[in-house]
Amino acid sequence: MTRKVAVLGSGSWGTALSIVLADNGHSVHLWGRSEEQVTSINEKRKNSRYIKDVELPDGIQASTDIRTILADADYVVIVVPTKAVRDVIQSALPHLNSGALIVHASKGIEPETHLRISEMIHEELPEGHNHPIAALSGPSHAEEVCYRQPTTVTCSSEDEEAAKSVQDLFMNQSFRVYTNIDIIGVEMGGALKNIIAIGAGMTNGLGFGDNARAALMTRGLAEIARLGMKLGANPMTFAGLSGLGDLIVTCTSEHSRNWRAGKRLGEGISAKQVEDEMGMVVEGIRTTKAAHQLAEKVNVDMPITSELFHVLFDDKPPKEAVAELMGRVKKHEVEDLKLNDKDPLNYFEP
């Protein structure tokens, strides 16, 4: 069935998902803040700011008027940086169609509150609302999705039928969608991998090789899982698309803005200079702060996240951070192998 889908956020990822939806025959209404960008999409069929070389399907229409975008929409797809989620929901709220399913494809944790994005959305909606909320996550560079290259993601919701509905909405021959009922794990994996991607880029900027990156990714996954499990996630989720899959793609590709930011940090550029230079939100920087705060709050040891926090926010030299990590006290890699160990969290001992 053809559905009307409102996509809130006209960046590279919002554009990519709009292409998937239009390819599936849906009526896609893309909201952006820039009149110039909207005009380019509608008249030239190009999002020249983000995806310059891709012609957009006719099924995508753009507007800066959020009321027009949301009118009678069956699905609302939120694709904005974490820091903009609350403002966008507040702007959308008066115009939401009753029962519209809300899907977010953003990846982050809110500093101070330490809430996941689905929790932020739920908090902004009125009590007793009838809007199912789902998260779409996984290894998915926007550039490759725009070129219809094979991509596989997962959709999660506390409402299993909502997740299946989103699966049907997006899935096609080049964009495969799985479902997962563990929304805590899916959102935490998608958010925290951005921290590790900054670290992976930093190893490259420091001139280190594959050994260092592999070590960082492996131990990074361990601390992602450790925090996620503490919050109630299923450990198997972190071996899936929104965990290991997203970690691999984000830590090994120049498409990743978090990797590029980390590389510049390793080359000696400050975090402030990096953000100014890139001209786009580097989600992992904000998430590093939130995850560091959350880990201290729930008493979970995250040494990589901790060292990156000090590099980003305390101007600690990257080489000193690496020395701290390499000089830590001796540990078992897989503590769960001890026969007298009853605590599954210790499988991912720091």
Side-chain angles (χ1 to χ4, degrees), residues 332 334-343:
H332 290 278
V334 185
E335 189 70 8
D336 198 44
L337 290 178
K338 292 183 177 181
L339 295 178
N340 62 350
D341 189 347
K342 303 293 186 182
D343 185 358

Side-chain angles (χ1 to χ4, degrees), residues 11 28 34 40 51 67-68 79 109 135 184 190 202 214 279 289 311 328:
V28 183
S34 166
S40 175
I51 308 289
R67 178 175 57 182
T68 300
V79 201
I109 304 171
I184 297 174
M202 198 169 76
K289 183 177 183 179
V311 170
R328 297 171 67 246

Side-chain angles (χ1 to χ4, degrees), residues 82 86 108-117 119-120 123:
T82 307
R86 289 188 187 274
I109 304 171
E110 188 174 42
E112 312 308 332
T113 70
H114 313 131
L115 294 178
R116 294 175 284 109
I117 293 175
E119 294 175 311
M120 294 166 62
E123 200 170 77

